[in-house]
Amino acid sequence: MYSDKDKIEIRNYEREAFRTLKKLENKEKKIPSSKDILYMNDFILEEFESDGDSGKLYLATNKYNHAEKYILKHEYYDCACNEFMYSKIGNKMGIKIAPVKLFILNDLEDKFKSDFVCGIKYLENCEHISLKKLEQEKDKIKNWQDYFKMLCLECLFEESDGIEVVKYNNEIYRLDMTASFKISDFYIHPLAYNYKYNGINIREFATKNIMDGSMQRTEYRIHRWKSDIKYFTNNYDKKYLKDYMETFELFLNVSEENIEEWVNILTIIYPNVIGDYFKQYFKNLKLDVEQLLKLKEKELLAI
């Protein structure tokens, strides 16, 4: 275990190493004008109490519009990239995911572990909702079908810790999508270490591991998807299966141009390899989804 002093030294080393890398990568790049990028200096910060596993959180309130609030995640390097990409893709598919913004720290970096900070829209006075409660209140929830699409997204995007769904203003939203895709804090932090250990450059090794996770895995994925569809039909009312299966088709509407646009925003703060990962990951994921839907059309998929 690291001491508190060691943790501070590691944090400072990694932050400066990532900044050096991004200074080099962004040398010819301009920060785009985007509604997805916000500046910390425009917000008032206060600690946000949470019993989750995302570490220390802040509530950021816009100085000029107090109705605009975000919950800031920064303790783990994968929070911002996974939350951002999940939100952009899910909303493009027409599924209500809490909007996510990326924050530029300005001079407030001492409050945050990393420069990879995201803000999840604060849905004030929202309430967690279960399937039982959803079915009881369907007539009061505009997008109740999204619940079953969210279950499919959990499978599609390889989430590992379940789903969190809340009701807000007569609609339901997904929250907390950090544990998604195949990228995690474990793979990202070694990118800060650009030196050799036992003859292996750590950054190069980490880059290879990250990109390996983006490769096409058709056989594995289709086997898992078929198992999850079987589980769904055995544990949920079959009348909801149409909404579940429609999610795969909706994913095909997300274009490579969409991914490119979001990645260009993401890599203003992340190493470029994270953008390369997402481009390759979603390209291969789409190919695997197409294979699944072909099986469905041929009635080889028992649903």
Side-chain angles (χ1 to χ4, degrees):
M1 294 292 292
Y2 294 110
S3 68
D4 289 342
K5 182 180 178 181
D6 289 338
K7 289 178 182 178
I8 291 173
E9 289 181 358
I10 290 170
R11 180 190 70 183
N12 291 340
Y13 176 86
E14 291 181 352
R15 167 172 270 157
E16 289 307 313
F18 278 125
R19 285 182 172 178
T20 299
L21 174 61
K22 284 314 301 173
K23 184 177 180 180
L24 178 63
E25 290 183 341
N26 288 352
K27 191 174 181 180
E28 305 298 328
K29 189 186 299 184
K30 294 178 64 176
I31 296 180
S33 176
S34 171
K35 292 181 180 179
D36 292 319
I37 296 178
L38 301 177
Y39 291 84
M40 207 68 75
N41 278 346
D42 293 330
F43 289 81
I44 301 167
L45 303 181
E46 57 185 301
E47 291 191 19
F48 184 81
E49 296 297 326
S50 172
D51 57 0
D53 56 2
S54 295
K56 187 175 183 180
L57 304 177
Y58 288 99
L59 179 64
T61 302
N62 192 310
K63 293 178 181 178
Y64 315 104
N65 175 13
H66 288 184
E68 183 183 10
K69 299 180 181 182
Y70 299 92
I71 298 173
L72 303 183
K73 288 188 176 184
H74 64 100
E75 288 278 357
Y76 300 100
Y77 294 145
D78 56 342
C79 286
C81 61
N82 287 350
E83 296 270 357
F84 179 73
M85 293 301 292
Y86 199 118
S87 176
K88 298 303 289 188
I89 293 172
N91 281 294
K92 180 68 177 180
M93 293 167 64
I95 302 169
K96 292 283 187 181
I97 312 294
V100 176
K101 306 291 185 180
L102 302 176
F103 277 75
I104 304 296
L105 295 188
N106 304 119
D107 59 350
L108 298 175
E109 64 267 17
D110 288 346
K111 290 184 177 293
F112 303 96
K113 176 185 173 181
S114 74
D115 291 356
F116 311 139
V117 177
C118 70
I120 296 91
K121 184 177 179 180
Y122 181 43
L123 305 176
E124 198 161 7
N125 298 319
C126 67
E127 58 176 315
H128 286 81
I129 191 163
S130 64
L131 175 59
K132 182 178 180 180
K133 189 169 184 179
L134 178 88
E135 291 183 312
Q136 292 171 345
E137 300 184 8
K138 278 198 300 187
D139 59 329
K140 300 177 183 177
I141 300 174
K142 296 178 183 178
N143 64 324
W144 63 266
Q145 294 96 334
D146 275 5
Y147 189 91
F148 306 101
K149 295 172 184 175
M150 292 168 184
L151 287 174
C152 186
L153 282 186
E154 178 191 13
C155 169
L156 182 61
F157 292 162
E158 303 178 86
E159 294 187 68
S160 60
D161 65 350
I163 68 170
E164 184 176 354
V165 182
V166 297
K167 179 184 174 185
Y168 175 73
N169 287 348
N170 298 319
E171 293 182 308
I172 57 171
Y173 288 81
R174 263 301 311 273
L175 296 176
D176 191 10
M177 296 81 63
T178 294
S180 306
F181 315 121
K182 299 293 289 183
I183 192 73
S184 71
D185 188 83
F186 177 81
Y187 292 106
I188 297 174
H189 84 86
L191 293 171
Y193 296 86
N194 190 26
Y195 59 77
K196 288 186 177 181
Y197 179 76
N198 287 340
I200 298 173
N201 182 280
I202 297 176
R203 179 179 289 168
E204 291 175 0
F205 184 72
T207 298
K208 182 181 183 303
N209 281 337
I210 287 170
M211 293 308 299
D212 284 349
S214 72
M215 294 297 102
Q216 192 171 4
R217 293 173 289 133
T218 308
E219 184 176 348
Y220 163 78
R221 280 179 171 145
I222 289 181
H223 174 75
R224 181 182 174 185
W225 291 338
K226 289 169 73 173
S227 296
D228 283 335
I229 292 166
K230 183 177 180 180
Y231 177 86
F232 185 92
T233 57
N234 289 338
N235 290 274
Y236 297 89
D237 193 316
K238 288 187 178 181
K239 67 185 178 183
Y240 300 134
L241 183 60
K242 178 179 179 296
D243 297 307
Y244 187 94
M245 292 303 300
E246 184 187 2
T247 313
F248 290 104
E249 297 174 8
L250 291 172
F251 177 67
L252 297 183
N253 294 330
V254 180
S255 68
E256 289 188 32
E257 289 76 19
N258 293 144
I259 300 297
E260 182 83 28
E261 176 188 350
W262 301 326
V263 157
N264 286 341
I265 296 169
L266 191 65
T267 53
I268 291 296
I269 59 174
Y270 272 96
N272 288 348
V273 66
I274 302 302
D276 294 337
Y277 164 82
F278 279 116
K279 285 188 284 187
Q280 192 64 45
Y281 177 89
F282 288 116
K283 180 178 180 179
N284 286 325
L285 183 61
K286 182 175 283 190
L287 291 173
D288 290 342
V289 168
E290 288 172 347
Q291 290 299 312
L292 178 80
L293 295 178
K294 286 179 182 178
L295 288 176
K296 178 189 172 187
E297 289 174 4
K298 294 179 180 179
E299 298 184 347
L300 295 178
L301 182 61
I303 54 175

